[in-house]
């Protein structure tokens, strides 16, 4: 069933993603991005019908961390607002459903994450089953390495192919001034076999924001809106032992529900923090060589946790805005080894 | 273009207690979800999506627990969304689930909120140091006590009102088999003689720490038509946020609360809440918040809320019953507390509230708030489908 209302991404902004940002708080990091995205549409905070954000207390190291960030939006007079403790891509999904109800015509979505204050590898272990797995502290790189080894064992990829994914991503990122790792980056030593440092994302801090608008409002705010033709997300079992790590059925299902397979896309922005995960996603999404994958450099060039998924949607939309794409796919992931996946299909008006 | 009407057809909660040592977090949430499915006479296969909420992840030490709970909530292969809006989260979670149906994304949605406080230390979770900010190390009671004092000074309310609320809510809880505190020997004198914690808030005027979960099955018009029991229909729902601290904030009656209620009443066609609404489940973690919210929600003129409480209007057999279930004062699994308010409102209009049922409850308000009176979420449910 097609959406009952046309909704588009009309503006996107992001920070320069950096290894550390000690000198700014989350809200200080966010405010320029919020100003930037609002300036692109001429909207003021008070014009926005609904605001939704994505972040996690575990990066900030304290409860209710998002409440301070909200103050940066300028939350007075009181606004209609919500928050997901997930990547901002899911905040965008919540905003999209709110727009579908017809109660509002515009929405502001933002996400941010500062990984630098702690060890993100350790922090992410707290996502795991708290009784049986988390006490063992298996970190995110080690879990991704399990997945990579499973792929190699299944004959789906090998280390040179993974290295080529890394090289292509960072080469593409050379044209992305926001990216953290750009140009020629050494593949490096093994971090956790079979993954080398080059196969892994940089640890960094960053924020992003998107404005959504419905129908005619979208056309007023943007010359070439990136219409959300479909968006869906699916989750898989948590236990790695009950999943086939070489496949991503949740991505395939989300893509199917989002209409990704109805017509070919020209661009795909994939949230694949590890080279091996791009291999899995390409298969699940049936992307062939004709599709431009991660022209921004993807999460291998900048991976601000919690914002990296929203940035994929933003980058895909921005390509449509500037006419570099007509139909793009954006993907976001959450959880260990691609447990949860979101797929959005964006289109520009015919030219 | 009109929204799809949304109905509550299943409600389930756990017996709330200080510590559920017999179940894991997954076991706890599954128990509530299964009860909601049973109530709706549906199976896991009938659920299109799951929307889950809870208060800070630090409370149990699990980051993004939706990942771990996907299997327990039958969400594998389905969309699962995780909401976190501080103490109002239980209400916000239900509203996000509602939007999935109202926007015709899904037909039937399971929504659930929980807290397993026994696996944590909530005081610790809320007291982590924040750089460059004044820490609120006095706990929630210490934060709210000055605002209660401001209310008393502003309205001239006698200092007996708080204990009346606590006495009422704890007696109501005796009629609710799921309530945490069942104080069979409660008397007004005992409440008044309990130790002073944060003047003017006494021990017996504060909420307990509970383990518990609450689940609801929400569905569209077609789903409601198949419901074996009367559905509760959503007539209005809204969220509003304002900063915790800023010059000019009215802590006694925050603007966000007023705006949120006004939005709900507009959607539901409520002209005079005192007349048009039959009962209220509101978020009262400290007893004085009953008279304060009565004013904030428009049930009483400014300065008059305490008179409704004092005259017995808010008793279970009063003209405007408040917190029929025993409220947050009797049961407080923090992340679930907002959803319990929403669910109790729905139980009432379905006529399923058992011993604490209000006769003829047709329109009931569910209310939640969180942060430092910063986040508000509310819904109004009715026994009849919405007019438009």
């Amino acid at each position: 069933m097609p959406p009952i209302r046309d909704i588009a991404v009309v503006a996107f902004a992001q920070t320069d993603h950096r290894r550390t940002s000690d000198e700014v708080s989350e809200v200080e990091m966010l405010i320029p991005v919020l100003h930037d995205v609002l300036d692109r549409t001429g909207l003021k905070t008070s014009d926005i019908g609904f605001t939704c954000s994505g972040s996690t207390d575990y990066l900030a190291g304290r409860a209710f961390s998002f409440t301070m960030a909200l103050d940066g939006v300028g939350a007075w007079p009181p606004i209609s607002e919500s928050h997901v403790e997930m990547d901002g891509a899911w905040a965008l999904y919540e905003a999209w459903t709110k727009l579908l109800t017809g109660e509002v015509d515009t929405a502001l979505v933002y996400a941010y994450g500062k990984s630098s204050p702690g060890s993100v590898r350790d922090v992410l272990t707290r996502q795991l089953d708290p009784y049986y797995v988390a006490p063992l502290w298996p970190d995110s790189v080690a879990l991704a390495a399990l997945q990579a080894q499973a792929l190699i064992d299944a004959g789906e990829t090998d280390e040179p192919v993974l290295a080529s994914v890394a090289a292509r991503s960072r080469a593409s990122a050379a044209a992305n001034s926001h990216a953290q790792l750009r140009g020629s980056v050494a593949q490096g030593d093994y971090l956790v076999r079979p993954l080398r440092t080059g196969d892994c994302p940089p640890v960094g801090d960053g924020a992003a924001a998107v404005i959504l608008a419905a129908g005619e409002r979208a056309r007023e705010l943007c010359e070439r809106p990136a219409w959300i033709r479909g968006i869906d997300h699916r989750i898989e079992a948590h236990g790695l032992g009950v999943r086939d790590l070489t496949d991503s059925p949740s991505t395939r299902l989300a893509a199917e529900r989002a209409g990704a397979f109805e017509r070919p896309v020209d661009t795909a922005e994939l949230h694949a923090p590890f080279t091996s995960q791009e291999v899995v996603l390409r298969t699940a999404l049936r992307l062939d060589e004709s599709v431009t994958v991660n022209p921004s450099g993807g999460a291998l060039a900048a991976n601000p946790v919690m914002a990296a998924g929203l940035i994929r949607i933003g980058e895909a939309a921005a390509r449509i805005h500037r006419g570099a794409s007509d139909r793009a796919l954006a993907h976001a992931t959450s959880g260990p080894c691609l447990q949860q996946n979101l797929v959005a299909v964006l289109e520009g008006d015919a030219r | 273009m009109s929204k799809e009407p949304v109905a509550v057809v299943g409600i389930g909660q756990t017996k709330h207690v200080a510590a559920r040592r017999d179940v894991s977090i997954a076991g706890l949430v599954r128990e509530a979800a299964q009860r909601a499915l049973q109530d709706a006479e549906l199976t896991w296969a009938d659920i299109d999506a799951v929307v889950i909420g809870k208060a800070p992840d630090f409370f149990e030490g699990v980051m993004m627990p939706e990942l771990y709970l996907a299997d327990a909530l039958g969400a594998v292969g389905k969309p699962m969304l995780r909401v976190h809006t501080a103490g109002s989260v239980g209400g916000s979670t239900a509203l996000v689930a509602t939007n999935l149906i109202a926007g015709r994304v899904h037909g039937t949605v399971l929504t659930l909120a929980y807290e397993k406080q026994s696996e944590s230390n909530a005081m610790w979770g809320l007291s982590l140091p924040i750089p460059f900010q004044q820490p609120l190390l006095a706990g929630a009671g210490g934060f709210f006590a000055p605002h209660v004092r401001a209310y008393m000074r502003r309205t001239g309310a006698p200092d007996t009102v708080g204990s009346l609320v606590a006495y009422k809510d704890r007696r109501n809880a005796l009629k609710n088999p799921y309530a945490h505190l069942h104080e069979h020997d409660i008397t007004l004198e005992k409440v008044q003689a309990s130790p002073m914690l944060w003047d003017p808030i006494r021990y017996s005027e504060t909420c307990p720490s509970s383990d518990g979960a609450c689940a609801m099955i929400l569905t569209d018009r077609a789903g409601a038509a198949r419901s074996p029991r009367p559905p509760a229909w959503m007539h209005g729902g809204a969220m509003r946020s304002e900063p915790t601290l800023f010059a000019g904030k009215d802590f006694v009656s925050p603007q966000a609360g007023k705006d949120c209620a006004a939005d709900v009443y507009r959607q539901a066609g409520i002209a005079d809440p005192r007349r048009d609404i039959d009962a209220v489940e509101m978020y009262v973690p400290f007893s004085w918040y009953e008279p304060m919210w009565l004013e904030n929600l428009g049930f009483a003129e400014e300065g008059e809320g305490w008179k409704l409480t004092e005259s017995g209007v808010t008793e279970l057999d009063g003209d405007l019953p408040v917190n029929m279930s025993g409220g947050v004062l009797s049961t407080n699994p923090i992340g679930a507390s907002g959803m319990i308010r929403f669910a109790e409102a729905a139980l009432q209009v379905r006529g399923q509230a058992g011993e604490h049922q209000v006769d003829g409850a047709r329109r009931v308000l569910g209310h939640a708030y969180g942060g430092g009176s910063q986040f508000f979420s509310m819904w109004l449910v009715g026994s009849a489908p919405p007019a438009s």
Side-chain angles (χ1 to χ4, degrees), chain B residues 151 154-158 161 252 274 288 290-296 298-314:
Chain B
Y151 174 77
R154 197 189 282 189
T155 64
V161 172
V252 171
R274 176 80 173 86
W288 277 93
E290 175 177 302
M292 290 163 74
W293 292 147
L294 281 170
E295 296 171 26
N296 189 245
F299 290 100
E301 293 296 319
E302 226 166 272
E304 305 285 312
W306 62 271
K307 293 177 185 168
L308 293 190
T309 298
E310 195 181 44
S311 62
V313 166
T314 60

Side-chain angles (χ1 to χ4, degrees), chain B residues 37-63:
Chain B
L37 285 169
Q38 254 165 26
D39 184 22
E41 293 184 19
L42 295 175
T43 68
W44 296 102
D46 297 310
I47 301 300
D48 299 321
V50 178
V51 184
I52 185 170
K54 73 173 295 299
D57 292 14
F58 277 104
F59 279 10
E60 286 87 357
V62 188
M63 180 186 186

Side-chain angles (χ1 to χ4, degrees), chain A residues 42-348:
Chain A
L43 291 172
K44 298 187 294 292
T45 308
S46 54
D47 300 324
I48 298 290
F50 180 67
T51 301
C52 197
S53 63
S55 68
T56 173
D57 282 348
Y58 266 78
L59 286 183
R62 61 188 165 88
F64 300 131
S65 56
F66 62 95
T67 64
M68 297 303 162
L70 179 60
D71 292 359
V73 180
W76 181 264
I79 56 172
S80 173
E81 181 268 341
S82 183
H83 170 255
V84 297
E85 192 87 358
M86 309 176 82
D87 185 284
W90 278 267
L92 183 143
Y93 181 85
E94 184 184 328
W96 174 75
T97 66
K98 177 81 175 177
L99 284 159
L100 280 183
T101 67
E103 287 167 13
V104 296
D105 294 327
T106 53
L108 169 65
V109 178
Y110 64 91
Y112 62 93
K114 285 179 68 159
S115 296
S116 63
S119 161
V120 73
R121 285 172 71 173
D122 289 339
V123 169
L124 291 175
T125 64
R126 304 300 90 192
Q127 288 184 332
L128 304 167
D129 178 320
Y131 306 103
Y132 297 107
V133 186
L136 304 172
W137 296 86
D139 74 43
S140 48
V141 179
L143 294 176
L146 272 180
Q147 186 169 31
Q149 190 61 53
L151 279 168
I152 291 171
D153 291 348
E156 303 276 337
T157 193
D158 55 30
E159 290 191 38
V161 168
L162 297 183
S164 71
V165 170
R168 194 211 69 239
S169 297
R170 273 88 188 224
S172 300
N176 176 2
S177 62
H178 301 290
Q180 189 179 331
L181 281 189
R182 308 165 64 197
S184 179
V185 174
Q187 188 63 356
D189 296 330
Y190 286 116
L191 199 55
V192 180
R193 267 177 203 274
L195 296 179
R196 295 173 182 270
T197 50
D199 293 308
C200 303
V203 175
D205 303 350
V210 156
I211 291 177
L212 299 180
E216 279 311 302
R217 198 81 184 95
R219 290 183 204 282
E220 290 164 19
L221 296 172
C222 180
E223 208 170 307
R224 190 167 194 251
W227 300 105
I228 300 173
R229 293 302 182 209
I231 180 169
D232 193 88
H233 61 98
R234 302 280 153 168
I235 197 165
E236 293 177 36
H238 184 62
L240 297 179
V242 298
R243 285 159 58 190
D244 175 1
L245 296 181
T246 66
D247 194 10
S248 184
S250 57
T251 299
R252 188 178 299 111
L253 185 55
E256 205 170 279
R257 297 296 177 119
F261 302 136
E262 286 164 17
R263 285 191 300 118
V265 297
D266 54 48
T267 301
E269 277 284 343
L270 306 181
H271 184 193
F274 298 93
T275 52
S276 43
Q277 294 180 340
E278 183 180 305
V279 175
V280 176
L281 293 170
R282 272 179 181 270
T283 309
L285 293 166
R286 301 176 204 165
L287 301 176
D288 60 28
E289 293 308 314
S290 69
V291 180
T292 307
V293 173
N294 287 346
S296 67
L300 286 164
N303 189 38
V305 176
M306 308 316 288
L310 181 64
I311 291 170
R312 304 282 73 75
I313 299 175
E315 289 283 4
R319 263 175 90 79
I320 289 170
H321 294 162
R322 59 179 184 259
S325 168
D326 291 322
R327 181 172 157 91
L329 179 150
H331 159 268
T333 194
S334 177
C337 299
L338 303 172
Q339 187 191 345
Q340 189 174 21
N341 295 283
L342 177 147
V343 174
V345 177
L346 306 171
E347 276 182 2

Side-chain angles (χ1 to χ4, degrees), chain B residues 99-354:
Chain B
N99 284 345
L100 291 175
I101 294 161
R104 298 192 174 89
V105 180
H106 295 297
T108 302
V109 175
L110 165 67
T111 186
L112 180 139
Y114 76 94
E115 203 75 66
K116 202 163 188 295
Q117 290 209 62
S118 67
E119 298 199 19
S120 68
N121 184 327
M123 198 70 159
W124 173 84
L126 289 177
S127 303
L128 295 164
I130 305 169
F132 314 116
Q133 266 173 335
Q134 179 64 36
L136 301 170
L137 295 175
F143 180 80
F144 290 115
H147 310 318
V148 171
R149 188 57 81 185
Y151 174 77
M152 295 167 77
R153 184 162 304 159
R154 197 189 282 189
T155 64
D159 59 11
T160 49
V161 172
S163 50
L164 290 176
V165 175
Y167 179 51
K168 165 182 71 77
D169 284 4
R170 296 278 162 79
R171 275 181 294 135
N172 288 353
L174 292 171
K175 298 176 187 294
N176 175 6
Y178 295 105
H180 175 176
L181 295 184
H182 281 158
E183 297 180 338
H184 293 281
D185 55 352
I186 187 86
T187 65
L188 185 57
E189 292 68 34
K190 279 188 178 174
V191 174
Q192 288 166 340
S194 68
M196 188 65 82
L197 288 187
W198 303 275
D199 196 347
I201 300 172
R202 291 182 181 280
Y203 177 77
S204 289
E205 295 170 3
T206 67
C207 49
S209 290
S210 315
D211 283 1
C214 179
M216 288 191 283
I217 311 291
L218 307 179
T219 191
D220 55 14
R221 201 194 313 253
R226 292 190 296 268
S227 172
R229 277 174 271 285
W233 294 92
M234 191 176 101
H235 289 228
M239 299 186 230
R240 287 293 184 282
S241 310
E242 69 180 41
T244 298
L245 301 164
F246 68 101
K249 171 150 176 161
D250 186 348
F251 281 98
V252 171
S253 189
Q255 190 63 40
K258 290 183 192 176
D259 290 0
C260 190
D263 191 358
V264 171
Y265 299 157
R266 178 189 55 76
Q267 293 172 37
I270 300 283
D272 175 357
R274 176 80 173 86
R275 192 193 64 213
D276 299 340
I277 295 175
D278 301 318
V280 189
E281 270 281 335
M282 61 171 75
Y283 204 106
V284 177
F286 302 101
S287 61
W288 277 93
Y289 272 87
E290 175 177 302
M292 290 163 74
W293 292 147
L294 281 170
E295 296 171 26
N296 189 245
L297 296 172
F299 290 100
E301 293 296 319
E302 226 166 272
E304 305 285 312
W306 62 271
K307 293 177 185 168
L308 293 190
T309 298
E310 195 181 44
S311 62
V313 166
T314 60
E315 295 272 346
L316 190 53
D317 59 359
D319 183 43
L320 180 72
V322 174
N323 291 342
M324 300 69 75
S325 71
V328 180
L329 277 176
S330 306
T331 305
N332 188 33
I334 300 177
S337 289
M339 189 172 288
I340 296 171
R341 309 280 74 71
F342 277 41
E344 288 289 350
L347 273 181
Q348 289 287 341
V349 299
R350 298 173 74 202
Q352 305 272 323

